[in-house]
Amino acid sequence: MESSLFSLSGKTALVTGGGRGIGLAIATGLAQHGADVALVARTKEQLHGASQKIHAETGSNVWIFPFDMENVDRIEDLFESIVATTKGVDILVNCAGTTIRGKAEDVDLKTWDQVLKVNLTSVLVLSQVFCRHRKQAGEAGSIINIGSLTCHAARPTTAAYGASKSGLLMLTKTLAVEWAGNNINVNAIGPGYIATELTEPLWTNDDFNRWVLQKTPLGRWGRPDDLIGTAVLLASRAGEFITGQIIYVDGGWLALL
Ligand SMILES: NC(=O)c1ccc[n+]([C@@H]2O[C@H](COP(=O)([O-])OP(=O)(O)OC[C@H]3O[C@@H](n4cnc5c(N)ncnc54)[C@H](OP(=O)(O)O)[C@@H]3O)[C@@H](O)[C@H]2O)c1
């Protein structure tokens, strides 16, 4: 049985990007610690599969909400319908994310807007409506944003992605200091290179794969499950005095010169 310090019993977590990859792993981990979970992503079949898997493994309630986070004008309605179903959200994990790789001089504004909307603007809007609800309910809350190594350093071909993720870091800190008075903790997790669908073009590329293995002191790609411990810490009473931080889960990547 898990220690009560890390228990999420009686809590409900909303995880965007919960259909697969890192979001699915985090949603599963939160459910393993007692939370009910609501999952948002675009692909309905994947959400169904994720919900069946989490419920079978943990017994937690799982609700799914197919939605495109690029539709930032409809996020408030999405959140209202989630709250109407779940009766409240205590933990918000902003994990939905996308990238479109290409040289900076070739990035068109459509691509730029799309990446910024999904990775950054949607996080602001969803966090705003989450905060309003928590304040109205007079309840504490926890927001966990999924950052990246690009919160800290740049990589060629990721101008929009890097701009969105470094913006996300400062948004995390700003919301943390503004909402601390409402007992809403806001933190980020910065994953290193994690083998998922998003990074498939990278881990299937022999040269890139070698580079990642050589640059990562722990000598392997991360797995989505590697993010669970940090997410549970930040969502639970164990992380009550942590806010405005980014915690890198990167196998030592950023520690190596
Ligand atoms: N993998 C890594 O190495 C790595 C490293 C650092 C940070 N991250 C971050 O971790 C997060 C998850 O990445 P991942 O590697 O798990 O990627 P992934 O396997 O591609 O999963 C991304 C999830 O986000 C959803 N999503 C994407 N665009 C969406 C949209 N417009 N609206 C709603 N949902 C959307 C996807 O579902 P649908 O396609 O069905 O919508 C999917 O559930 C991202 O924010 C990413 O930037 C990943």
Side-chain angles (χ1 to χ4, degrees):
M1 205 168 132
E2 81 271 12
S3 137
S4 64
L5 199 57
F6 294 95
S7 172
L8 299 173
S9 282
K11 305 280 186 198
T12 297
L14 165 57
V15 183
T16 71
R20 62 172 187 264
I22 292 171
L24 172 57
I26 289 177
T28 306
L30 299 179
Q32 282 163 348
H33 285 74
D36 292 326
V37 290
L39 309 176
V40 171
R42 289 166 302 180
T43 316
K44 201 172 176 179
E45 306 73 52
Q46 228 163 45
L47 286 174
H48 267 301
S51 116
Q52 282 172 350
K53 178 179 171 293
I54 296 173
H55 181 69
E57 279 179 22
T58 66
S60 292
N61 291 312
V62 187
W63 301 275
I64 62 169
F65 298 87
F67 184 82
D68 186 341
M69 296 301 290
E70 207 181 324
N71 295 324
V72 289
D73 297 339
R74 289 177 31 221
I75 285 178
E76 188 161 354
D77 292 344
L78 167 77
F79 192 80
E80 296 298 342
S81 67
I82 292 173
V83 166
T85 305
T86 64
K87 310 296 177 220
V89 174
D90 308 274
I91 301 155
L92 169 61
V93 182
N94 288 305
C95 183
T98 192
T99 189
I100 300 171
R101 298 180 181 91
K103 288 183 179 169
E105 64 260 40
D106 298 331
V107 174
D108 58 275
L109 283 187
K110 189 165 172 281
T111 300
W112 177 266
D113 286 343
Q114 188 184 342
V115 174
L116 267 287
K117 267 189 184 163
V118 176
N119 292 4
L120 184 58
T121 312
S122 79
V123 175
L124 169 69
V125 179
L126 189 54
S127 300
Q128 285 174 321
V129 61
F130 172 80
C131 174
R132 281 200 292 276
H133 269 260
R134 291 281 88 194
K135 275 166 83 169
Q136 265 167 21
E139 300 275 3
S142 175
I143 298 178
I144 301 170
N145 295 325
I146 304 303
S148 157
L149 294 175
T150 61
C151 291
H152 173 86
R155 256 203 70 72
T157 76
T158 61
Y161 185 79
S164 72
K165 292 295 186 179
S166 58
L168 184 64
L169 175 57
M170 205 42 70
L171 179 64
T172 300
K173 292 180 189 229
T174 308
L175 300 186
V177 296
E178 283 204 25
W179 296 348
N182 302 108
N183 286 324
I184 296 175
N185 293 30
V186 189
N187 292 288
I189 298 175
Y193 280 96
I194 314 291
T196 64
E197 195 170 309
L198 187 76
T199 50
E200 190 171 352
L202 309 180
W203 50 261
T204 52
N205 176 313
D206 284 345
D207 290 341
F208 201 97
N209 179 46
R210 249 193 312 278
W211 181 70
V212 167
L213 296 180
Q214 173 234 318
K215 280 273 290 170
T216 307
L218 287 178
R220 65 168 173 85
W221 283 74
R223 295 182 284 268
D225 285 5
D226 288 321
L227 284 309
I228 290 177
T230 310
V232 171
L233 166 69
L234 295 176
S236 65
R237 197 162 63 79
E240 208 173 61
F241 202 54
I242 305 174
T243 199
Q245 299 300 310
I246 181 164
I247 301 178
Y248 290 101
V249 180
D250 65 356
W253 181 286
L254 288 176
L256 178 67
L257 202 59

